[in-house]
Amino acid sequence: MDLHHVEGYRLLVKALLALENEKECEALLEDLMTRKEIMDIAQRLVVAKLLSEQTVYNKIVEQTGASTATISRINRCYHYGAGGYQTVLPRIEDEE
């Protein structure tokens, strides 16, 4: 199924783009997802960041608690996915 044509997906993209600041983003995340879902997504971003820094899998497991299967899946997305990680990671690193 192509997500780009699913109404809820388009609505989610528009909602994310409508956010104006960190507080609004936090509020939307808390309303949309459970604490576990937020933590899972946050973990994926940390794993992607570590992969972008050439960190080896066992160090990533140590630092994040992510399984090697999860790290492998994120690595595949990082290198062969839609390019979202490569777009967002440099932008958020500039803000840190």
Side-chain angles (χ1 to χ4, degrees), residues 5-27:
H5 299 294
V6 174
E7 181 182 356
Y9 177 82
R10 299 298 323 147
L11 194 57
L12 175 60
V13 170
K14 287 179 181 182
L16 293 171
L17 290 171
L19 298 171
E20 293 184 8
N21 56 52
E22 200 169 314
K23 185 177 179 181
E24 288 181 2
C25 185
E26 290 171 354

Side-chain angles (χ1 to χ4, degrees), residues 34-56:
T34 65
R35 180 174 172 80
K36 174 148 178 30
E37 289 168 333
I38 293 169
M39 296 309 294
D40 287 347
I41 290 172
Q43 181 188 60
R44 291 177 190 177
L45 283 170
V46 173
V47 169
K49 180 179 183 295
L50 291 170
L51 288 168
S52 76
E53 296 167 353
Q54 309 292 315
T55 307
V56 294

Side-chain angles (χ1 to χ4, degrees), residues 4-5 37 53 64 87 95:
H4 296 80
H5 299 294
E37 289 168 333
E53 296 167 353
T64 67
T87 299
E95 294 176 9

Side-chain angles (χ1 to χ4, degrees), residues 3 33-53 60 63-79 84-86 88-89 92-93:
L3 286 177
M33 296 184 280
T34 65
R35 180 174 172 80
K36 174 148 178 30
E37 289 168 333
I38 293 169
M39 296 309 294
D40 287 347
I41 290 172
Q43 181 188 60
R44 291 177 190 177
L45 283 170
V46 173
V47 169
K49 180 179 183 295
L50 291 170
L51 288 168
S52 76
E53 296 167 353
I60 296 173
Q63 291 180 17
T64 67
S67 70
T68 55
T70 296
I71 297 167
S72 179
R73 184 174 62 246
I74 294 165
N75 190 47
R76 235 182 349 269
C77 291
Y78 180 80
H79 289 289
Y85 287 126
Q86 285 84 354
V88 76
L89 287 174
I92 61 177
E93 286 174 5

